Amino acid sequence: MKEKEKQLNFDSCAELLFKIAEEKLHISKSDILSKAQTRILADTRRAIMRILKTKFPYTKVVVLGNLVNRDHSSVSAQLKKHQELISTKNDYSDLFYLLNDEFFKYPHQKTDSMDELMGIRDNLERQLNTVNLLIHELNKQST
């Protein structure tokens, strides 16, 4: 029963993220699940997978792949690419933090102290990335 409860919680969180993407980004669930590879769809998929992997760290990449109609190697590559894009691409980091912040606004998302710590960590990571981008820009200007 415990595994079933976790799965329902994962599924409800995934549905919430699809709903947020539709409301905030005007991207439908069917577009996210499609084979289309436009930047906005790829970025949205990547952000959804990263948020779910953060919320459910023991979720296998196969499960995330099944959620967005991708194979496990694509999911692994996209989770790795998230780390690169979050600190180098403002448009991606803006999209990610919009989804992430909206997702963690829902009170039932903070089911325990770990969720709260993850939210704090994400906010600190965003602030650090902003500082790093500013430093990078200043370094470019000074050379």
Side-chain angles (χ1 to χ4, degrees):
M1 186 65 173
K2 206 77 155 141
E3 189 60 38
K4 180 75 172 166
E5 289 172 10
K6 285 182 185 176
Q7 186 62 35
L8 290 173
N9 195 15
F10 176 86
D11 291 343
S12 65
C13 288
E15 288 304 317
L16 176 59
L17 283 164
F18 290 134
K19 179 183 169 193
I20 292 168
E22 186 152 10
E23 289 175 0
K24 298 295 181 180
L25 304 172
H26 308 290
I27 299 173
S28 70
K29 180 179 176 180
S30 61
D31 287 340
I32 294 168
L33 300 180
S34 73
K35 295 296 179 188
Q37 297 180 358
T38 64
R39 181 183 303 230
I40 189 69
L41 292 177
D43 285 350
T44 303
R45 273 185 218 110
R46 184 182 307 111
I48 287 172
M49 289 186 287
R50 180 69 255 166
I51 293 166
L52 288 171
K53 187 67 173 164
T54 299
K55 173 113 174 102
F56 302 97
Y58 300 108
T59 300
K60 295 181 179 181
V61 292
V62 172
V63 173
L64 289 170
N66 290 340
L67 176 71
V68 294
N69 293 330
R70 299 296 185 272
D71 63 41
H72 72 281
S73 61
S74 296
V75 173
S76 294
Q78 291 307 309
L79 291 174
K80 184 175 180 180
K81 187 166 183 136
H82 165 83
Q83 292 305 111
E84 170 195 333
L85 294 178
I86 198 73
S87 60
T88 60
K89 300 289 184 188
N90 284 338
D91 55 340
Y92 176 72
S93 63
D94 290 346
L95 179 146
F96 173 78
Y97 288 114
L98 171 76
L99 290 174
N100 189 65
D101 293 350
E102 288 296 318
F103 178 73
F104 282 102
K105 277 183 187 176
Y106 286 81
H108 69 278
Q109 295 308 314
K110 293 188 177 180
T111 55
D112 60 28
S113 60
M114 188 62 158
D115 287 337
E116 193 167 341
L117 290 173
M118 294 283 208
I120 292 168
R121 186 203 68 189
D122 288 341
N123 285 331
L124 290 172
E125 182 181 48
R126 182 174 61 194
Q127 292 172 1
L128 180 61
N129 287 333
T130 301
V131 169
N132 285 335
L133 286 171
L134 290 171
I135 291 169
H136 179 73
E137 288 299 316
L138 288 172
N139 286 338
K140 278 174 49 177
Q141 290 175 0
S142 66
T143 56

